[in-house]
Amino acid sequence: MTLGYIHEINRFPQIKFVKFHHLHIVEGSIMGVKYKKNTFKLFTLEEYTDLLCEILPLLRPDIVIQRLFGISDWDLLIAPNWGLNKSNIQNLYGERN
């Protein structure tokens, strides 16, 4: 489904920027209440990274990527807990090269 969205984004020349964001569940949200009652699968960091590696090369080269993920405040985050702060995630794969 996400691959389909990339193809749709590419169809519109007026789109100049995109922001990607994985799903996270936070306290006080309707989804947070639902998740606590009946958990469902969320991306692991590795799964989300794999997805980005698959979709980013498909994006038109003139589109600027403004965000690849988002981080909730630790005290509000229900899931997923990747155990890393924003700086650690930003540097995670760059440190391996």
Side-chain angles (χ1 to χ4, degrees):
M1 186 168 69
T2 304
L3 296 176
Y5 291 136
I6 295 299
H7 296 303
E8 283 297 307
I9 289 168
N10 287 339
R11 286 184 48 222
F12 295 95
Q14 65 268 34
I15 295 177
K16 303 295 182 195
F17 306 96
V18 294
K19 293 181 181 183
F20 294 97
H21 197 304
H22 68 287
L23 176 63
H24 61 247
I25 313 296
V26 294
E27 285 289 345
S29 68
I30 294 171
M31 191 171 289
V33 172
K34 291 181 179 184
Y35 186 83
K36 285 181 176 182
K37 289 181 182 178
N38 187 20
T39 62
F40 47 88
K41 178 150 176 30
L42 298 171
F43 282 120
T44 65
L45 178 57
E46 292 78 18
E47 290 168 336
Y48 184 64
T49 302
D50 287 346
L51 175 65
L52 289 174
C53 288
E54 186 175 353
I55 63 176
L56 291 179
L58 302 176
L59 197 61
R60 269 191 358 249
D62 62 302
I63 296 177
V64 175
I65 301 165
Q66 293 184 326
R67 176 184 299 144
L68 292 174
F69 64 93
I71 298 294
S72 174
D73 292 335
W74 287 106
D75 56 335
L76 296 176
L77 181 65
I78 298 171
N81 184 348
W82 291 340
L84 299 168
N85 65 27
K86 184 177 181 178
S87 296
N88 295 135
I89 293 171
Q90 289 172 327
N91 295 319
L92 182 65
Y93 293 102
E95 292 174 359
R96 293 182 181 178
N97 294 327

